[in-house]
Amino acid sequence: TTAVDFAREITDAIKTQATEDLRQKHRQAHFVVFEDIGQLDVRRPQELAAQQELIYTLNALIARRRPVVLTASATPARLPGMTRTLQSRLVAGLTVPLVPPACEARLAILEELARLRDLELSQPVAQILAEGLSTTVPGLLGTLVQLEMSSNLDGGAIDADAARCYLVRRGGSPQPSLRDIAMPTARYFCLKLGRLRSPSRQRAIVTARSVAMYLARLLTQRSLKQIGRYFGGRDHTTVMHACRKIEKLLSTDPVVRQAVEYLQQKW
C-alpha cells in the first residue's frame, strides 16, 4: 500500500469506527510493503495519526517476525515531516539504495510484464530490449505499451526488427517536457492549457487531463509527484489512479485509444 492510501484508510476507519478491522488487515499479513512513506507529513493531522498507527503496525509485525519493506525518496533521518519516534524505528532496519535494474533483472521484468499483459514477446526480442534499455520498471512498462500499440496499428508482430527500430527512435529523440505533452493534448481536446491544468472536475477536462498524465508517465522519467504538481498540484495517488484508468480505457473506449495513439506519434 502507498503511504497516502494508508493514511486515507486510517482516516476512514476512524470515521466509521472500523480501526480494529484495519489493524487486523495489516498486522496479520505475512509480508507488507509501505510505499513512499515520505508523503506522511506530521504537519497534516490525518497523517500524524497515520504515522502513529504505522509505528504500532511495525512493532506488531516485527514482534511476529514478519518482513516489512518501506520505500522513500531519502533515508529515514532525512525525511521531512517525520516524527522522531518513527525515524528511530526505521533506522533500526536495513537501509538499501534502489537503483535501476541491471540487464538480467530488466529481462525478467520485461518477460513478467508481457505475461501480465498477455503480450507475445519472444525471449530474443526481450533480450534485445533488456540490453538496449537502461530504465526503471515504469519505463520498461512504457516500452511494452508503445510496442504493443505500434503492432496493433501496423498489424505486425513485436519482432526483433520492431524492437531495434524502437531503440533507434528512443535514442534519437529527446524526452519531451511535461509542457510538450500538455500543449498538444489540450489542443486535441479543444481546451486551453490553463483549463487542462486547472482544478476543474468537468468530465471532458478530467479525461483530457488523465490522458496527458498517462502520456507523461509513459514518455518521461518524471515521478508521479512531479507530474501531479504540474497538472494542478495533484498528489501522486491521483496521478496513479488516472494512469490506471486510462490503461483500462485503452481496451474498451475507442475515443481514448484514438487520442492516445494520435498524441503518442508526436514524440
Side-chain angles (χ1 to χ4, degrees), residues 170-187:
R170 179 186 175 95
S173 58
Q175 184 182 117
S177 67
L178 295 179
R179 191 175 190 278
D180 290 336
I181 291 171
M183 282 294 290
T185 303
R187 289 195 205 100

Side-chain angles (χ1 to χ4, degrees), residues 228-241:
R229 185 185 302 123
Y230 180 82
F231 288 99
R234 289 165 171 82
D235 62 35
H236 79 292
T237 306
T238 302
V239 179
M240 191 188 318
H241 289 331

Side-chain angles (χ1 to χ4, degrees), residues 139-217:
L140 295 175
L141 175 58
T143 293
L144 290 184
V145 170
Q146 292 183 64
L147 287 170
E148 183 180 16
M149 291 178 109
S150 296
S151 70
N152 290 339
L153 286 171
D154 301 336
I158 302 177
D159 54 17
D161 288 339
R164 292 191 183 98
C165 286
Y166 170 81
L167 293 174
V168 169
R169 292 198 307 271
R170 179 186 175 95
S173 58
Q175 184 182 117
S177 67
L178 295 179
R179 191 175 190 278
D180 290 336
I181 291 171
M183 282 294 290
T185 303
R187 289 195 205 100
Y188 182 90
F189 287 96
C190 301
L191 297 171
K192 291 184 178 180
L193 180 60
R195 292 285 283 165
L196 186 73
R197 299 178 62 191
S198 73
S200 174
R201 299 298 301 168
Q202 290 182 18
R203 184 174 180 179
I205 297 175
V206 170
T207 299
R209 188 188 302 124
S210 297
V211 167
M213 291 193 289
Y214 172 80
L215 290 169
R217 187 63 170 156

Side-chain angles (χ1 to χ4, degrees), residues 252-267:
T252 61
D253 190 324
V255 175
V256 170
R257 183 169 62 251
Q258 181 179 353
V260 171
E261 290 174 352
Y262 173 81
L263 291 165
Q264 192 174 348
Q265 292 174 6
K266 292 187 170 292
W267 298 285

Side-chain angles (χ1 to χ4, degrees), residues 38-139:
Q39 292 293 318
L40 297 180
D41 192 328
V42 294
R43 290 169 291 187
R44 293 188 284 266
Q46 70 274 18
E47 292 177 10
L48 173 58
Q51 284 199 32
Q52 292 169 338
E53 184 62 31
L54 180 57
I55 293 169
Y56 298 138
T57 300
L58 292 176
N59 289 340
L61 289 167
I62 292 169
R64 296 178 59 241
R65 304 183 67 83
R66 299 302 186 189
V68 187
V69 174
L70 302 99
T71 69
S73 58
T75 58
R78 295 185 177 180
L79 288 174
M82 190 72 57
T83 64
R84 290 185 179 180
T85 305
L86 183 53
Q87 283 181 336
S88 176
R89 201 73 192 85
L90 296 177
V91 296
L94 175 65
T95 302
V96 182
L98 291 175
V99 297
C103 182
E104 185 176 346
R106 291 197 295 270
L107 177 60
I109 292 167
L110 282 166
E111 290 175 341
E112 177 64 10
L113 290 174
R115 185 189 69 80
L116 292 172
R117 295 181 63 82
D118 292 326
L119 182 64
E120 188 174 342
L121 189 72
S122 68
Q123 201 278 338
V125 173
Q127 187 72 44
I128 291 170
L129 294 171
E131 292 175 354
L133 296 166
S134 180
T135 184
T136 59
V137 175

